[in-house]
Amino acid sequence: MSESAHTAPAAHRTVQEVTERLAERSARSRGAYLRRVRAAADEARERGPARTSLGCANLAHGFAACSPADKLALRGGERPGVAIVSSYNDMLSAHQPYETYPAVLKEAVRAAGGIAQFAGGVPAMCDGVTQGRPGMELSLYSREVIAMATAIALSHDMFDASLMLGVCDKIVPGLLIGALHFGHLPALFVPAGPMPSGLPNKVKARARQAFAEGKIGRGEMLDAEAKSYHSPGTCTFYGTANSNQVLMEVMGLHLPGATFVNPGTELRDALTRAAGARAVQITAHGTEHTPVAEVVDEKALVNAAVALLATGGSTNHTMHLVAIAAAAGIELLWDDFAALSRVVPLLTRMYPNGQADVNHFQAAGGMQALIGDLLDNGLLHEDVLTVAGRGLGLYRSAPALKDGEIVWEERPTRGTDPDVLRPVAEPFSADGGIHMVSGNLGRAVSKVSAVKPEHLVIEAPAKVFDDQAELMAAFQAGELDGQDFVAVIRYQGPSANGMPELHKLTPPLAVLLDRGQRVAMVTDGRMSGASGKVPAAIHLSPEAADGGPIALVREGDPIRLDSAAGTLDLLVPAEELAARTPQGRPLRDDEWVGTGRELFAAFRRAAGPADRGAGIFAMSGAEAQA
């Protein structure tokens, strides 16, 4: 589009130091990855559209089903080809709008001088539907399936750029991981936007707790949920789906201001068309070649981590960003998040960290105010490549319609609602919303942005469960009433059962918290991006199934979690721990069946630890480490 005219201040010292350590640590693998990608990019610039290297039979297969006009264009060697990869399905509200996008994008690409084809679909499961169900045990693995499906879609050598259609949870990380394995191709992400606001989050949360206590029935609860999740578009709370969208914009993979425009509006349609046109411009045969490998670099990943912390985003991204970085040949560590969290202030309050939703955030100034303020305070790198051009300063501007045409207008840096969005000078909290904790149980992630200060430290006896259903049964039987405890839920890690989210445990534990009990959770599993009220240490690594110390915890053992200081300790003498043997076990392959789970046995055996992204793929460029 253009180059940013802004001159940002020098990066904050910690931001710069983290970036430098990241680059130094990753030099060999990143270098190997870039050499491979740049060689492919150089070939693309010299050769012409990718399909021109195909044999006649190969190419004929590639356009056999096209219209006569598209066949003629694809036979020629002038017009770049653009792949559309979509996660459309009409069960997910967030992805239902994508039904109409391919036709719109094809028309926009054609008008810009390219030719677009629907290259492939990727699966898109809804964690909201599978929460607490066996299907949730496929959720994290679906990220790897999506990455592989993306690679299959791009494997035909027909394309010079890609348009990625995805919103939620594992879907956007999977699409990006797949795209980075074709790093010489530009990849532009096309969001669908959030649904309009429904039932206020405070009312929804109150209904869930009342249902957990048996005070309301299923019909009343379903009415409340249906008023919350009520139309096409992304769910409006600030969970993993909307955290994805924030990160894609701050990494420069969305067009500026595209993230939180509602579906079904003229502006949303104009942004979709603009994305199609821009995809043509950033091919090797356009005016501004922008390979995705050059966009997702060390600075962009640090920017993403900063945005995650500044907004109190989903803890799932402490794994997803690590896995994305690895696909780009970069070794991002939890230590990097921890260092940044100490200097990045919390600037937003969106449910579950407050009562507002993403529509309120958008109305308060949204991404433009957030990015502008972080840039002005040196907390984001400005000198980065984006799909919009050079410089993150381009993302200070928001899209608008004038005489039916889309234009970008720079917006004020300061937000308009201090209950939702604050400047760096007046934050909700001086540090980020996500802390790393460690001790003799291992390392874990603790989301503190929604936890009351008086709940950040707890020392209490352990109550040990090897399955979330056991905890739910204990709550319903009244066995957890009237006592302080730390719930230890183990054998929930990547190699045990796919690391399901344990979000259904939030309402019952929140009930106990509201009754005045001091409760917390320690688990090698995950919590939803929508969780936060209950103090928790999650993603504990090493996990129980890999011999982690969590398997040594006994009922009644004292545990101390101090999320403020970053410590997690089992208060048992070291010599006693050394004499213990693990209790419990993960399910065997013959027990891990139903809902298709048996198909993923190989994934369980190959899954890496949470602090390494919980993935099954080797780091790109890792061959240089040998």
Side-chain angles (χ1 to χ4, degrees), residues 48-208:
R51 65 185 179 277
T52 60
S53 66
L54 296 177
C56 293
N58 306 76
L59 183 56
H61 276 86
F63 62 56
C66 293
S67 69
D70 284 354
K71 281 184 180 179
L72 187 61
L74 288 167
R75 287 174 69 103
E78 295 78 35
R79 302 179 72 174
V82 177
I84 300 170
V85 181
S86 177
S87 56
Y88 162 74
N89 67 56
D90 62 12
M91 186 199 71
L92 265 69
S93 63
H95 292 185
Q96 188 275 342
Y98 285 141
E99 180 180 13
T100 60
Y101 275 38
V104 172
L105 290 168
K106 287 179 182 181
E107 181 182 324
V109 168
R110 188 179 295 113
I115 187 75
Q117 292 176 283
F118 191 95
V122 303
M125 68 181 296
C126 180
D127 288 1
V129 175
T130 59
Q131 198 67 242
R133 308 287 302 170
M136 174 54 77
E137 295 176 1
L138 306 184
S139 177
L140 185 58
Y141 295 151
S142 76
R143 184 188 69 191
E144 320 304 279
V145 175
I146 291 162
M148 292 187 285
T150 302
I152 290 169
L154 298 178
S155 68
H156 298 94
D157 292 330
M158 288 281 291
F159 307 113
D160 304 290
S162 62
L163 289 160
M164 296 290 172
L165 279 54
V167 175
C168 294
D169 298 281
K170 272 55 65 184
I171 300 153
V172 165
L175 287 166
L176 183 50
I177 290 168
L180 284 165
H181 284 273
F182 290 77
H184 63 291
L185 298 179
L188 198 160
F189 280 70
V190 187
M195 66 178 67
S197 301
L199 188 74
N201 289 306
K202 186 175 183 178
V203 178
K204 177 181 68 177
R206 192 162 57 236
R208 285 179 174 176

Side-chain angles (χ1 to χ4, degrees), residues 14 25 83 136 205 512 523 556 593:
T14 299
R25 182 191 312 135
M136 174 54 77
L512 302 179
T523 181
V593 295

Side-chain angles (χ1 to χ4, degrees), residues 523-537:
T523 181
D524 49 10
R526 296 184 293 137
M527 292 294 281
S528 166
S531 303
K533 178 177 180 177
V534 177

Side-chain angles (χ1 to χ4, degrees), residues 501-512:
E501 290 184 347
L502 306 176
H503 182 49
K504 285 188 78 72
L505 301 182
T506 298
L509 292 176
V511 166
L512 302 179

Side-chain angles (χ1 to χ4, degrees), residues 367-391:
M367 294 300 296
Q368 285 59 59
L370 177 74
I371 289 173
D373 189 41
L374 289 169
L375 282 170
D376 288 342
N377 286 274
L379 291 169
L380 291 175
H381 293 287
E382 201 282 334
D383 183 24
V384 292
L385 184 63
T386 79
V387 296
R390 169 65 64 177

Side-chain angles (χ1 to χ4, degrees), residues 35-45 47 184:
R35 284 191 295 274
R36 183 170 70 244
V37 166
R38 286 171 177 168
D42 289 343
E43 180 185 350
R45 279 190 292 268
R47 177 193 59 227
H184 63 291

